[in-house]
Amino acid sequence: MDLSLIRAAEQELLTPAVRRNSRRVYELLHPEFIEIGRSGRRWTRNEIVAALADETDRGDPTTDEWQFSALAPNLTLVTYLIRGAGGDSRHSSVWETTDGRLQLRFHQGTPVTDR
C-alpha cells in the first residue's frame, strides 16, 4: 500500500470541508466502518456521516507522530497524535485497499490525559 495515499486520505478526513461533505465521507469510509470516539461512544458509518455533516468548523488540527504498520497485504494500521486547544488525543485507524479502492475500516480516538 502507498503510505502517502493513506496519510493523505486520513488528513483529508480531518479537514472541515471534507467532514461536512457527506458524499466524500461515504466514499472514504468502508460500508462496515466503526469508530470508537474520544468519549468512548461507538459510531457506525451512517451515524458518523450524519454527525460530521452538522459539525461546527474547528479548523484543521495539528498532527504529529505518524506511524504505519502493515497488518496484511491490504490492511494498514495508522497511528498519530492530534494536538488541539481542547487537549491532545491519540488516534488509530485501519485502512483497507480492495480492488484499488482505499477505505477506512476502523478509527479510534483517545484523549491524552498525562504525557
Side-chain angles (χ1 to χ4, degrees):
M1 271 195 221
D2 186 337
L3 301 181
S4 65
L5 293 177
I6 294 171
R7 182 171 175 165
E10 185 80 42
Q11 288 179 306
E12 186 179 357
L13 279 168
L14 296 175
T15 65
V18 169
R19 294 168 75 85
R20 288 190 302 263
N21 180 341
S22 296
R23 184 185 64 74
R24 181 62 180 143
V25 175
Y26 270 118
E27 290 173 356
L28 289 167
L29 301 184
H30 189 277
E32 297 176 27
F33 170 81
I34 295 295
E35 175 164 334
I36 307 298
R38 290 179 59 168
S39 67
R41 178 180 172 182
R42 180 183 183 275
W43 299 81
T44 65
R45 181 186 193 211
N46 289 337
E47 289 170 334
I48 204 73
V49 170
L52 292 178
D54 293 330
E55 187 177 62
T56 58
D57 192 349
R58 55 179 178 68
D60 292 350
T62 301
T63 61
D64 197 5
E65 299 180 18
W66 287 83
Q67 294 184 356
F68 301 86
S69 299
L71 300 176
N74 66 331
L75 292 174
T76 302
L77 170 66
V78 180
T79 62
Y80 58 95
L81 179 72
I82 291 181
R83 299 186 190 278
D88 296 350
S89 56
R90 292 210 175 270
H91 294 260
S92 58
S93 297
V94 176
W95 287 88
E96 179 178 338
T97 301
T98 304
D99 298 326
R101 185 174 182 183
L102 181 63
Q103 288 189 305
L104 184 58
R105 275 299 288 241
F106 173 82
H107 182 80
Q108 181 166 359
T110 305
V112 175
T113 57
D114 189 359
R115 290 198 94 194

